[in-house]
Amino acid sequence: MNVGLPARIGAFACLGVASAMGLLALRDEPKLASPLPPLSTDLPIDPLQAKLRSCQLAGQAAGSDPGGLAAWAENRRRFLGRRSRAEPAADDAPGKSSEPAILVNEAIANTQQEQ
């Protein structure tokens, strides 16, 4: 039996199917992608986020800014879930501590002065 004739028929059949699929794809209108939500240009409400944003925009100069370093330290503390020295523990009764409360900013400033 001659193999050339069935091979040609198969090739033309595949070509016909491919061209029909191509015509069907061209006939449909392209679907537009959903528009991206607009980027927010609002300033952050949290003052820590505003300070972090300004330090981020300052670039490498923010590495020597004590306010920026304090903001990053506070952000790290919040992220890691550590309590500051000024926050009492859940089992501590308020006013029972013999150690005076130290504010977070003062504690950070003291550690930066020591360095």
Side-chain angles (χ1 to χ4, degrees), residues 1-2 4 6 8 24 30-31 37 39 50 57 64 70 80-81 91 100 110:
M1 179 172 177
N2 190 1
R8 286 182 185 167
L24 287 175
K31 297 176 182 159
L39 295 175
L57 294 175
S64 60
L80 296 175
D91 57 349
N110 290 339

Side-chain angles (χ1 to χ4, degrees), residues 22-77:
L23 289 174
L24 287 175
L26 289 175
R27 187 179 69 168
D28 293 337
E29 292 184 19
K31 297 176 182 159
L32 298 176
S34 61
L36 296 174
L39 295 175
S40 174
T41 57
D42 297 336
L43 294 176
I45 296 173
D46 185 15
L48 177 64
Q49 292 299 322
K51 182 64 178 172
L52 289 173
R53 177 68 52 105
S54 67
C55 289
Q56 181 183 21
L57 294 175
Q60 202 169 12
S64 60
D65 179 28
L69 294 174
W72 285 110
E74 175 64 16
N75 190 42
R76 236 184 344 268
R77 184 197 65 79

Side-chain angles (χ1 to χ4, degrees), residues 56-114:
Q56 181 183 21
L57 294 175
Q60 202 169 12
S64 60
D65 179 28
L69 294 174
W72 285 110
E74 175 64 16
N75 190 42
R76 236 184 344 268
R77 184 197 65 79
R78 285 185 185 181
F79 178 76
L80 296 175
R82 296 181 183 160
R83 292 182 320 160
S84 67
R85 293 182 214 167
E87 297 174 12
D91 57 349
D92 291 345
K96 295 285 183 175
S97 174
S98 60
E99 181 179 328
I102 300 173
L103 297 176
V104 174
N105 290 340
E106 292 175 357
I108 293 171
N110 290 339
T111 57
Q112 289 176 353
Q113 288 175 357
E114 291 173 3

